[in-house]
Structures are given as structure tokens and as C-alpha cells.
Short mmCIF file of all heavy atoms in Angstrom, two decimals:
data_model
loop_
_atom_site.label_atom_id
_atom_site.label_comp_id
_atom_site.label_asym_id
_atom_site.label_seq_id
_atom_site.Cartn_x
_atom_site.Cartn_y
_atom_site.Cartn_z
N PRO O 117 4.74 3.76 8.04
CA PRO O 117 6.11 3.52 7.46
C PRO O 117 6.17 2.12 6.81
O PRO O 117 5.52 1.18 7.28
CB PRO O 117 7.01 3.61 8.67
CG PRO O 117 6.26 4.35 9.70
CD PRO O 117 4.83 3.99 9.52
N ASN O 118 6.91 2.03 5.73
CA ASN O 118 7.06 0.75 5.06
C ASN O 118 8.32 0.73 4.20
O ASN O 118 8.48 1.63 3.36
CB ASN O 118 5.87 0.42 4.18
CG ASN O 118 6.06 -0.85 3.38
OD1 ASN O 118 5.95 -1.92 3.95
ND2 ASN O 118 6.39 -0.74 2.08
N ASP O 119 9.18 -0.26 4.43
CA ASP O 119 10.36 -0.40 3.62
C ASP O 119 10.37 -1.71 2.80
O ASP O 119 11.27 -2.00 2.04
CB ASP O 119 11.65 -0.42 4.50
CG ASP O 119 12.00 0.96 4.99
OD1 ASP O 119 11.52 1.95 4.42
OD2 ASP O 119 12.83 1.06 5.98
N ALA O 120 9.29 -2.51 2.96
CA ALA O 120 9.22 -3.79 2.26
C ALA O 120 8.53 -3.60 0.89
O ALA O 120 7.83 -2.64 0.64
CB ALA O 120 8.40 -4.77 3.10
N ASP O 121 8.74 -4.53 0.02
CA ASP O 121 8.03 -4.59 -1.29
C ASP O 121 6.53 -4.72 -1.01
O ASP O 121 6.11 -5.42 -0.05
CB ASP O 121 8.52 -5.76 -2.12
CG ASP O 121 9.84 -5.51 -2.78
OD1 ASP O 121 10.42 -4.43 -2.56
OD2 ASP O 121 10.31 -6.41 -3.51
N LEU O 122 5.76 -4.08 -1.86
CA LEU O 122 4.31 -4.18 -1.79
C LEU O 122 3.78 -5.07 -2.90
O LEU O 122 4.32 -5.12 -3.98
CB LEU O 122 3.65 -2.75 -1.90
CG LEU O 122 3.83 -1.77 -0.75
CD1 LEU O 122 3.08 -0.48 -1.12
CD2 LEU O 122 3.30 -2.33 0.54
N SER O 123 2.65 -5.76 -2.58
CA SER O 123 1.96 -6.52 -3.60
C SER O 123 0.50 -6.43 -3.37
O SER O 123 0.05 -5.84 -2.37
CB SER O 123 2.43 -8.03 -3.58
OG SER O 123 1.85 -8.61 -2.38
N LEU O 124 -0.31 -7.03 -4.20
CA LEU O 124 -1.77 -7.01 -4.00
C LEU O 124 -2.16 -7.86 -2.78
O LEU O 124 -3.28 -7.69 -2.30
CB LEU O 124 -2.45 -7.59 -5.25
CG LEU O 124 -2.34 -6.72 -6.50
CD1 LEU O 124 -3.02 -7.39 -7.69
CD2 LEU O 124 -2.93 -5.30 -6.29
N GLU O 125 -1.26 -8.65 -2.33
CA GLU O 125 -1.63 -9.52 -1.19
C GLU O 125 -1.15 -8.90 0.15
O GLU O 125 -1.53 -9.43 1.21
CB GLU O 125 -0.94 -10.91 -1.32
CG GLU O 125 -1.48 -11.78 -2.44
CD GLU O 125 -1.11 -11.27 -3.83
OE1 GLU O 125 0.05 -10.80 -3.99
OE2 GLU O 125 -1.97 -11.23 -4.72
N THR O 126 -0.40 -7.77 0.11
CA THR O 126 0.07 -7.21 1.35
C THR O 126 -1.07 -6.62 2.20
O THR O 126 -1.82 -5.78 1.72
CB THR O 126 1.09 -6.07 1.10
OG1 THR O 126 2.11 -6.55 0.20
CG2 THR O 126 1.72 -5.55 2.35
N PRO O 127 -1.22 -7.08 3.48
CA PRO O 127 -2.29 -6.57 4.29
C PRO O 127 -1.92 -5.20 4.89
O PRO O 127 -0.75 -4.91 5.13
CB PRO O 127 -2.44 -7.62 5.39
CG PRO O 127 -1.05 -8.18 5.51
CD PRO O 127 -0.44 -8.15 4.13
N CYS O 128 -2.93 -4.37 5.18
CA CYS O 128 -2.72 -3.15 5.87
C CYS O 128 -2.35 -3.41 7.31
O CYS O 128 -2.99 -4.28 7.94
CB CYS O 128 -3.98 -2.25 5.79
SG CYS O 128 -3.93 -0.80 6.87
N GLY O 129 -1.35 -2.72 7.84
CA GLY O 129 -0.94 -2.96 9.19
C GLY O 129 -1.93 -2.42 10.22
O GLY O 129 -1.87 -2.78 11.42
N SER O 130 -2.88 -1.57 9.74
CA SER O 130 -3.90 -0.99 10.68
C SER O 130 -5.18 -1.73 10.65
O SER O 130 -5.73 -2.14 11.68
CB SER O 130 -4.10 0.48 10.33
OG SER O 130 -2.92 1.25 10.53
N CYS O 131 -5.75 -1.96 9.42
CA CYS O 131 -7.02 -2.62 9.38
C CYS O 131 -6.94 -4.10 8.90
O CYS O 131 -7.97 -4.79 8.88
CB CYS O 131 -7.98 -1.85 8.46
SG CYS O 131 -7.57 -1.91 6.72
N ALA O 132 -5.76 -4.49 8.47
CA ALA O 132 -5.49 -5.91 8.11
C ALA O 132 -6.11 -6.29 6.74
O ALA O 132 -5.98 -7.46 6.36
CB ALA O 132 -5.91 -6.86 9.17
N ARG O 133 -6.76 -5.40 6.03
CA ARG O 133 -7.31 -5.73 4.72
C ARG O 133 -6.23 -5.82 3.73
O ARG O 133 -5.40 -4.94 3.56
CB ARG O 133 -8.34 -4.70 4.32
CG ARG O 133 -9.64 -4.73 5.11
CD ARG O 133 -10.67 -3.89 4.44
NE ARG O 133 -11.12 -4.44 3.20
CZ ARG O 133 -11.99 -3.88 2.33
NH1 ARG O 133 -12.55 -2.72 2.71
NH2 ARG O 133 -12.28 -4.40 1.21
N PRO O 134 -6.17 -6.89 2.92
CA PRO O 134 -5.19 -7.02 1.85
C PRO O 134 -5.63 -6.29 0.59
O PRO O 134 -6.80 -6.06 0.39
CB PRO O 134 -5.12 -8.55 1.60
CG PRO O 134 -6.47 -9.01 1.94
CD PRO O 134 -6.97 -8.11 3.08
N GLY O 135 -4.68 -5.95 -0.26
CA GLY O 135 -5.02 -5.36 -1.56
C GLY O 135 -5.43 -3.94 -1.55
O GLY O 135 -5.90 -3.43 -2.58
N LYS O 136 -5.32 -3.28 -0.40
CA LYS O 136 -5.76 -1.88 -0.36
C LYS O 136 -4.63 -0.87 -0.18
O LYS O 136 -4.84 0.34 -0.11
CB LYS O 136 -6.76 -1.75 0.83
CG LYS O 136 -8.06 -2.46 0.70
CD LYS O 136 -8.86 -2.01 -0.53
CE LYS O 136 -10.15 -2.77 -0.69
NZ LYS O 136 -10.91 -2.25 -1.82
N LEU O 137 -3.39 -1.37 -0.12
CA LEU O 137 -2.28 -0.49 0.10
C LEU O 137 -1.74 0.09 -1.19
O LEU O 137 -1.75 -0.56 -2.24
CB LEU O 137 -1.11 -1.20 0.80
CG LEU O 137 -1.39 -1.60 2.25
CD1 LEU O 137 -0.17 -2.39 2.79
CD2 LEU O 137 -1.73 -0.46 3.14
N ARG O 138 -1.33 1.34 -1.18
CA ARG O 138 -0.67 1.98 -2.31
C ARG O 138 0.49 2.80 -1.76
O ARG O 138 0.57 3.17 -0.60
CB ARG O 138 -1.65 2.88 -3.06
CG ARG O 138 -2.27 3.95 -2.17
CD ARG O 138 -2.93 5.07 -2.94
NE ARG O 138 -1.91 6.02 -3.44
CZ ARG O 138 -2.21 7.15 -4.13
NH1 ARG O 138 -3.46 7.37 -4.47
NH2 ARG O 138 -1.27 7.96 -4.56
N PRO O 139 1.50 3.13 -2.60
CA PRO O 139 2.54 4.03 -2.19
C PRO O 139 2.00 5.37 -1.68
O PRO O 139 1.02 5.87 -2.31
CB PRO O 139 3.39 4.16 -3.42
CG PRO O 139 3.08 2.98 -4.25
CD PRO O 139 1.68 2.73 -3.98
N HIS O 140 2.55 5.92 -0.67
CA HIS O 140 2.12 7.20 -0.14
C HIS O 140 2.80 8.32 -0.95
O HIS O 140 3.63 9.05 -0.45
CB HIS O 140 2.39 7.33 1.32
CG HIS O 140 1.97 8.64 1.95
ND1 HIS O 140 0.67 9.12 1.83
CD2 HIS O 140 2.64 9.60 2.65
CE1 HIS O 140 0.57 10.29 2.43
NE2 HIS O 140 1.77 10.62 2.93
N VAL O 141 2.49 8.35 -2.27
CA VAL O 141 3.02 9.36 -3.12
C VAL O 141 1.89 10.02 -3.93
O VAL O 141 0.81 9.47 -4.06
CB VAL O 141 4.03 8.72 -4.11
CG1 VAL O 141 5.23 8.13 -3.42
CG2 VAL O 141 3.36 7.68 -5.03
N VAL O 142 2.12 11.26 -4.32
CA VAL O 142 1.16 12.06 -5.12
C VAL O 142 1.41 11.68 -6.59
O VAL O 142 2.47 12.00 -7.07
CB VAL O 142 1.28 13.47 -4.78
CG1 VAL O 142 0.36 14.31 -5.74
CG2 VAL O 142 0.98 13.82 -3.31
N TRP O 143 0.42 11.15 -7.19
CA TRP O 143 0.52 10.82 -8.68
C TRP O 143 0.02 11.97 -9.47
O TRP O 143 -0.68 12.87 -8.96
CB TRP O 143 -0.27 9.59 -8.97
CG TRP O 143 0.37 8.31 -8.44
CD1 TRP O 143 1.70 8.02 -8.38
CD2 TRP O 143 -0.29 7.14 -7.92
NE1 TRP O 143 1.90 6.74 -7.86
CE2 TRP O 143 0.68 6.18 -7.53
CE3 TRP O 143 -1.65 6.86 -7.71
CZ2 TRP O 143 0.37 4.94 -7.05
CZ3 TRP O 143 -1.96 5.59 -7.11
CH2 TRP O 143 -0.96 4.66 -6.81
N PHE O 144 0.40 12.04 -10.75
CA PHE O 144 -0.14 13.00 -11.67
C PHE O 144 -1.69 12.93 -11.68
O PHE O 144 -2.23 11.86 -11.78
CB PHE O 144 0.45 12.76 -13.12
CG PHE O 144 1.82 13.07 -13.22
CD1 PHE O 144 2.83 12.15 -12.92
CD2 PHE O 144 2.23 14.39 -13.62
CE1 PHE O 144 4.23 12.48 -13.08
CE2 PHE O 144 3.59 14.72 -13.70
CZ PHE O 144 4.55 13.77 -13.45
#
């Protein structure tokens, strides 16, 4: 779950790696 703005610097809450998060949406 996430309600905050995302950026390239946002770390993953599970693995803590930054820059790897994307919206959980299906793109074209």
C-alpha cells in the first residue's frame, strides 16, 4: 500500500532499494 508521492529516490518498503518502485497499475 502507498498513498505518498513517488520519486526515483523513494526506497522500497520491503527490500529498501531506491529507484525501483512503480505504480501498481497495468500499462498499455
Side-chain angles (χ1 to χ4, degrees):
N118 175 76
D119 285 342
D121 283 0
L122 292 180
S123 73
L124 294 177
E125 292 72 40
T126 307
C128 171
S130 295
C131 70
R133 289 192 65 183
K136 295 297 182 180
L137 292 179
R138 57 164 281 181
H140 181 53
V141 298
V142 175
W143 287 324
F144 287 88

